[in-house]
Amino acid sequence: MNNADSIDLTSLRRYQPLIDDWPAFREAVTRPPVTCVWLHPERVDAARRERLLQGRGTASALPGLWRLPAEVRMGGRWEYFAGLYQIVEETSALPVLLLDPQPGERVLDLCAAPGMKSLMLAAAMRERGTLVANDLNRRRLKGLRQSVERFGSAIVSITNADGANFPPAAGQFDRVLVDVPCSCEGTTRKHPELLEEVDNSFSRRKSGAQRALLRKAIHLCRPGGRILYSTCTYAPEENEGVVDHVLRELPPHMVRIRPAVVPGFISAPGLTAWEGREYLPDLVHAMRIWPHHNDTGGFFCCLIEKLGEAEPSPPVVAPELASSPSLEAVCERFGLPASIFDHLHSHHDQASSLFLWGEGLLPPAEPPPIASGLLAVRTHIEVPKLTVPGALRFGARATRNRLVLSSDQIPGYLHREVFALAPEQVGDCSPGYVLLEYDGVIMGTGLLLRDAEGVWSLRSMFPRRWKRTRRS
């Protein structure tokens, strides 16, 4: 008996009339998914990519993504904590490519956690403009914030609000991504237990909240802007049914559905009818992703353009920006050129931390952000301390106080330990905060110590909230 025969696909059989090759679909959804990583566009060149993937990676049809065999595990490696890559669902790139955000725009990710799409949006914006990454679940926002810090973005404002009631005081946005919570049928390759948990009634119950999120996304988008509605489910009740319901409520000529096409990626058209219900004819332009076409999970995208007259909204006012002598101290300590902070602005948070804001970042007045910009320097101590996120973004330009770790010291760094150093490792570093390097990559900071006997040691400054739970 093969794996496809051993797994109960009863909950998916209602889609059989929609699928061009049911045996291929059945085999695909019962096969473990490939591992997919998105490489940091500025930190990983071709040579580093080859070392990172060890010759096992093949390029995805989607830019910046690489596919590895299902058995390859990428989650616990030091390169991950150094921000060289993110582990992603391959289909996560589709909404970003379809939205096509531009530098300098205001972009809203209404249901952002765990944040991979937000990082891709920030990269597409080339660190210019404002990206508001919102989610209702505050616990899930912790992971999003860690991802943003590792990536090193200075244009992200993280907010915690109900997306369906996102306040108008946030202003209007050029692009809005509404990747709604859903029944997740398209993720059963990774989570086969969902095959037993999802039924039609679940999709119908979910669709009410999904409609509310899409309504709000359209309201928050400016005329001429784009909204991308997406799910990782096959259910028409959560896909075409939601879009059809919301768009029929709107005044004529307020929005239109645009063709959703990504070159090199196979997709099926959206449905215009399902179980006796007729949908808007233009929903044929939506994109359905079936697992057997690209060896991915299942996904749905619908690209909507906002038309009509702009509704008045309160102006977005940027908080006053502060100057920062702390940056001068950090530059002096590590030999960093002041030019690396060009086009960035400094903002102090309660006199304890310094955040750097990218060009054009205007955090929303409401809801109040949990964090805005890049947490770069801790200022509440006698000697300002470059944070690990700051080190990951700027440390490669440092000319002083860089300390190279050995391979057997990496676990100690990742577990916030204090460990001994060989004298030759210290070189010309002076006691105090140092940048830590391994294999040519800056991976964080540490506190260099020397005792009365002249013995050197290092205290890891690996972020406590990133701490790994066990050694490996």
Side-chain angles (χ1 to χ4, degrees), residues 191-225:
H191 304 291
E193 68 276 5
L194 289 174
L195 290 169
E196 301 178 2
E197 297 176 4
V198 177
D199 58 27
N200 300 356
S201 63
F202 182 88
S203 292
R204 288 192 291 271
R205 293 195 304 271
K206 205 77 174 175
S207 64
Q210 294 162 343
R211 291 195 296 266
L213 286 164
L214 179 55
R215 287 188 196 101
K216 178 59 69 170
I218 294 172
H219 177 75
L220 291 169
C221 184
R222 68 161 180 80

Side-chain angles (χ1 to χ4, degrees), residues 384-425:
K385 179 180 70 172
L386 187 66
T387 65
V388 170
L392 297 182
R393 173 154 178 174
F394 305 112
R397 300 284 301 278
T399 58
R400 290 194 292 271
N401 289 305
R402 292 176 61 155
L403 191 150
V404 179
L405 297 179
S406 64
S407 59
D408 59 355
Q409 291 169 334
I410 297 299
Y413 167 70
L414 294 178
H415 288 83
R416 294 179 53 85
E417 296 174 359
V418 178
F419 49 89
L421 297 171
E424 57 269 22
Q425 282 185 276

Side-chain angles (χ1 to χ4, degrees), residues 17-29:
L18 307 177
I19 298 171
D20 59 345
D21 188 340
W22 175 257
F25 170 83
R26 183 181 60 189
E27 194 278 330
V29 297

